[in-house]
DNA sequence: GCCGATTTGTCCGTATGTATC
DNA sequence: CGATACATACGGACAAATCGG
């Protein structure tokens, strides 16, 4: 089963924008000619363009054409978060070497307070895993993950020391489909100060999220506490027409 | 010209989810029956559902149905940022009274450094406007806006004291279409400390963004520095199928 | 395990409207 | 005004996943 056509087109055009074949301010070829180029209908081309629009690569202008608004970012921060990525994937994309230190690995039950915070049902068994992410000898991310036991059976300390997502995807054949993220700046806790290399900062950038699998079950609640100035969080938004 | 059909459907279903007619874990009626209900084709229904998916309200499950994954957030923070909103709109949505204090209003020219930071061309004339947002007597947001003069002619101190977006949309008939945002936690500067009611915190949540109008011109660069713990930034993401 | 009904996923082709040039 | 380009919407075909009998 090959990748869907609209996705191939999306990736192709995205690559052409990123490599500078189409530059900021340029217009893409018209939908009509893209239709000819990719041998498909306008609907399919438009779907690919909609994805590029959602990611802030292009801006369709009624009656004129589809303008490229991609400005390559000279990003100084270590991490760029956007979309769904595991830590390992982000590190790879950012071309960074890292190591992971397992702080703790427990099996707990969700009480009422935790249920309210995370969205897990009361009484559910959860793996509570805390890990430290280390770059160049500096601890810059403190991850707390809670996995629904019933969906992630077989999780071990050994796996937690490596990549949990790799285990879920390759061994359990789980597909991660969607997540919701919240970003907030928070005062550093005692735990943060103990584990993270905060330097003179006494605050962290906290990213929490719920992750769903392809069966529609929320199987993970995650909180990442980042040393500030090392992370940027990027989104692009399209204004609702009123 | 009425609102497009797919948008009406999107809003209707969204409201029904938010008011609890469909609850977390429920399945929406099938696309087929929604087609009947809204008297349109499946394509149109699917477009509305795609919007709800992108916002993290629902999760379509192949062969099963469209599951609601909306968990009402008991949000303690004052502001919830997501999508494109002016400050005034966000305040209204969050049902909050506020006032604005104009700090400065200048006309400047973009130099090389500023050009690199903002994306404006070197030599462009910009309105540089700094404003303070105040709630219940506390200054919690420090806004710095740069508007391209050629696109926002007629901007005055008086307008800056009110809502600039209202002026742009109602008077200049400008349409804001898309924006890209970056979120980062940063150490408070002397300016932050001077103007913001930071309490014991010595850091801010910085949100920067570029805003485009419907002619494809980036006419605004904006930076908002928020008192932490008052803001949450929410996004939902859908994982790329690999 | 198979089969058929249901449901979502992809894609096609077409028609009409609207903005720009 | 006509040509071009994007926007919305219709209707239909087939594929793929799920579920119940």
């Amino acid at each position: 089963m090959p990748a869907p056509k609209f996705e191939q087109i999306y990736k192709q055009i995205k690559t052409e924008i990123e490599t500078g074949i189409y530059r900021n301010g340029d217009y893409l070829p018209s939908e009509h000619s893209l239709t000819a180029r990719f041998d498909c209908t306008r609907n399919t081309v438009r779907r690919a363009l909609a994805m590029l629009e959602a990611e802030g690569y292009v801006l369709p202008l009624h009656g004129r054409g589809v303008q490229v608004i991609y400005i390559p970012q000279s990003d100084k921060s270590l991490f760029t978060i956007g979309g769904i990525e595991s830590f390992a994937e982000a590190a790879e994309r950012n071309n960074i070497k890292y190591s992971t230190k397992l702080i703790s690995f427990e099996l707990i039950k969700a009480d009422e307070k935790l249920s309210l915070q995370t969205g897990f049902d009361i009484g559910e068994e959860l793996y509570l895993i805390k890990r430290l992410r280390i770059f160049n000898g500096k601890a810059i991310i403190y991850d707390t993950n809670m996995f629904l036991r019933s969906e992630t059976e077989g999780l071990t300390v050994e796996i937690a020391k490596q990549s949990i997502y790799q285990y879920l995807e390759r061994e359990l054949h789980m597909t991660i489909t969607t997540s919701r993220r919240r970003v907030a700046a928070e005062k550093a806790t005692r735990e943060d100060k103990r584990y993270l290399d905060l330097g003179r900062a006494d605050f962290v950038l906290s990213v929490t999220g719920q992750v769903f699998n392809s069966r529609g079950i929320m199987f993970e609640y995650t909180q990442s506490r980042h040393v500030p100035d090392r992370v940027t969080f990027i989104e692009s938004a399209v204004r609702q027409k009123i």
Side-chain angles (χ1 to χ4, degrees), chain A:
Chain A
M1 180 182 50
K5 208 178 262 193
F6 70 87
E7 213 169 289
Q8 294 175 34
I9 298 171
Y10 153 77
K11 281 187 182 169
Q12 181 62 37
I13 299 177
K14 181 175 172 176
T15 302
E16 291 176 2
I17 292 173
E18 284 172 343
T19 57
I21 295 177
Y22 301 116
R23 287 201 160 75
N24 189 44
D26 287 355
Y27 284 87
L28 292 183
S30 74
E31 293 176 354
H32 179 71
S33 55
L34 289 174
T35 289
R37 172 179 169 194
F38 291 108
D39 187 30
C40 63
T41 58
R42 239 189 94 209
N43 278 335
T44 306
V45 165
R46 282 181 62 76
R47 190 158 173 193
L49 293 177
M51 292 174 72
L52 291 167
E53 183 189 2
E55 291 189 25
Y57 278 75
V58 302
L59 180 59
L61 299 171
H62 198 158
R64 292 212 267 171
V66 179
Q67 187 176 8
V68 176
I69 57 171
Y70 175 77
I71 303 168
Q73 284 285 359
S74 60
D75 214 328
K76 284 154 294 177
S77 75
L78 208 49
F79 258 72
T80 303
I81 302 179
I84 304 180
E85 286 182 309
S86 76
F87 171 84
E89 288 165 346
E92 197 170 325
R93 188 174 50 71
N94 288 282
N95 219 344
I96 287 167
K97 278 193 188 170
Y98 68 95
S99 64
T100 298
K101 188 183 173 189
L102 185 64
I103 303 290
S104 67
F105 186 107
E106 305 171 62
L107 186 61
I108 62 169
K109 268 194 180 152
D111 59 14
E112 195 184 337
K113 187 185 161 197
L114 195 62
S115 167
L116 233 91
Q117 181 199 339
T118 62
F120 287 122
D121 287 333
I122 296 175
E124 288 279 15
E125 284 190 305
L126 309 172
Y127 291 115
L128 172 61
I129 299 170
K130 298 189 179 187
R131 291 180 293 179
L132 214 49
R133 311 300 198 165
I134 298 164
F135 299 85
N136 304 326
K138 296 209 169 184
I140 68 157
I141 306 178
Y142 185 41
D143 268 344
T144 301
N145 300 83
M146 286 174 241
F147 290 95
L148 198 59
R149 181 185 180 180
S150 59
E151 290 291 315
T152 57
E153 205 61 61
L155 218 52
T156 64
V157 169
E158 279 316 307
I159 294 166
K161 285 182 183 170
Q162 311 296 324
S163 172
I164 293 178
Y165 268 45
Q166 190 173 310
Y167 172 74
L168 297 180
E169 292 189 328
R170 298 198 190 164
E171 304 298 323
L172 299 188
H173 301 294
M174 185 183 280
T175 315
I176 292 93
T177 52
T178 192
S179 89
R180 204 178 291 119
R181 282 222 193 82
R182 289 163 57 108
V183 180
E186 292 176 14
K187 198 150 185 66
T189 64
R190 219 178 311 149
E191 239 179 321
D192 294 330
K193 288 178 185 167
R194 174 169 170 200
Y195 290 115
L196 290 171
D197 283 312
L198 282 170
R200 284 189 306 277
D202 68 340
F203 59 99
V204 297
L205 192 63
S206 161
V207 182
T208 58
Q210 297 162 320
V211 189
F212 295 77
N213 65 20
S214 59
R215 300 219 308 288
I217 294 169
M218 183 197 133
F219 72 96
E220 182 190 359
Y221 181 84
T222 174
Q223 181 181 67
S224 295
R225 298 176 76 79
H226 296 255
V227 172
D229 278 2
R230 297 304 197 97
V231 184
T232 359
F233 192 79
I234 296 188
E235 86 150 6
S236 91
V238 178
R239 188 171 181 86
Q240 298 283 350
K241 279 136 204 163
I242 309 161

